[in-house]
Amino acid sequence: AAEVRAEAGRQHKGGTQRPQAGVAPRRAGGVAMSGSPPASSGRSANNLYRPESSPSGPGASAPWRRALEAFAAAPQPGTIVLVGAGDGAEIDPCLDGPARRVVLVEPNPEILPELDARAAAEPRLDLVPAALAAESGRAPLHVFNLASASSLRTPTGLTGLYPGLREVAAPLVDTLSFADLLARLALPAEQTHLLALLAPGAEPAAVAALAAPEVAALFPLLLLRAGRESLYDGVPPASALGEALSEAG
């Protein structure tokens, strides 16, 4: 039986406590949902959690391990799509497995040169220098002094958790709808693909697209990182996103 896995961790002044995992049944395939826990203030602090070591290493989050293990065990492992590749910390564990291709979707111009250099040196890496959004076009990317919090969307609940959070740049970046991203990737339908949604604010566009059966069929494996509470304008909490995915089958 497939599972929806909701991960919870707690933020403390001394550091990040390891997440706890909860399990609920779902359809065939699986969704590993990495959500943040109540912080000491009573709110959640998600989309900022990063494992202290690589996703396949001893310090990796449980959802990452399960997602990569499930992908490796699939009949025909195909492509891992990392939406929000960030600093590239997740790249090596993905390449260590049987992935035929690892797609890095990342819009931050400060990060792109390094990712581009990695993609040029590794034939299985494909860089898409854009942000996942409801529509293709151009939009300002809110870049913060906490880089992993950067998003097309305005932070709401996040600012209560991190009073020192401040925007340091707002470059115009390319955006891609989920449909245009899929058209660009041309994923083989006979292969098993893993979608990792790590970009804060990209969740609604992806979840809406996955409601289409033909899109969901391409990604029987999904890693979704979302907050227990709404942290960005227009982004539902993890529970609502999970319900939307379940309703879509």
Side-chain angles (χ1 to χ4, degrees):
E3 298 172 337
V4 175
R5 302 178 178 95
E7 180 190 31
R10 288 182 297 174
Q11 296 286 338
H12 293 275
K13 289 184 178 179
T16 302
Q17 183 175 337
R18 287 272 168 235
Q20 306 287 320
V23 177
R26 195 177 181 267
R27 61 174 174 81
V31 178
M33 294 190 67
S34 173
S36 69
S40 56
S41 65
R43 300 188 181 182
S44 23
N46 182 59
N47 290 319
L48 307 176
Y49 172 77
R50 293 288 184 188
E52 292 177 6
S53 60
S54 67
S56 63
S61 68
W64 251 120
R65 290 197 303 270
R66 289 194 293 263
L68 292 177
E69 288 167 2
F71 180 77
Q76 293 190 59
T79 299
I80 298 176
V81 181
L82 291 176
V83 177
D87 60 8
E90 287 86 358
I91 293 176
D92 287 339
C94 293
L95 292 175
D96 286 343
R100 303 183 189 201
R101 181 165 57 148
V102 177
V103 177
L104 312 176
V105 182
E106 176 56 52
N108 192 336
E110 293 185 359
I111 298 174
L112 288 177
E114 182 178 349
L115 295 180
D116 190 42
R118 291 208 63 178
E122 170 53 62
R124 288 189 293 159
L125 283 181
D126 182 8
L127 176 61
V128 178
L132 183 62
E135 298 179 352
S136 298
R138 299 270 287 173
L141 176 70
H142 303 288
V143 179
F144 299 101
N145 53 336
L146 185 59
S148 59
S150 300
S151 175
L152 295 179
R153 296 177 180 266
T154 304
T156 51
L158 195 65
T159 54
L161 287 171
Y162 295 91
L165 189 72
R166 59 184 176 84
E167 188 171 316
V168 296
L172 279 178
V173 299
D174 292 331
T175 64
L176 280 178
S177 68
F178 205 93
D180 286 344
L181 175 62
L182 288 182
R184 176 169 179 163
L185 299 184
L187 301 173
E190 69 276 9
Q191 297 175 1
T192 299
H193 309 293
L194 166 62
L195 174 63
L197 287 170
L198 309 180
E203 306 93 339
V207 170
L210 289 167
E214 65 275 13
V215 176
L218 285 173
F219 297 105
L221 298 173
L222 168 64
L223 177 70
L224 172 62
R225 182 177 294 165
R228 282 195 173 187
E229 297 178 7
S230 178
L231 302 179
Y232 292 83
D233 183 39
V235 179
S239 58
L241 293 169
E243 288 173 6
L245 289 168
S246 296
E247 289 173 1

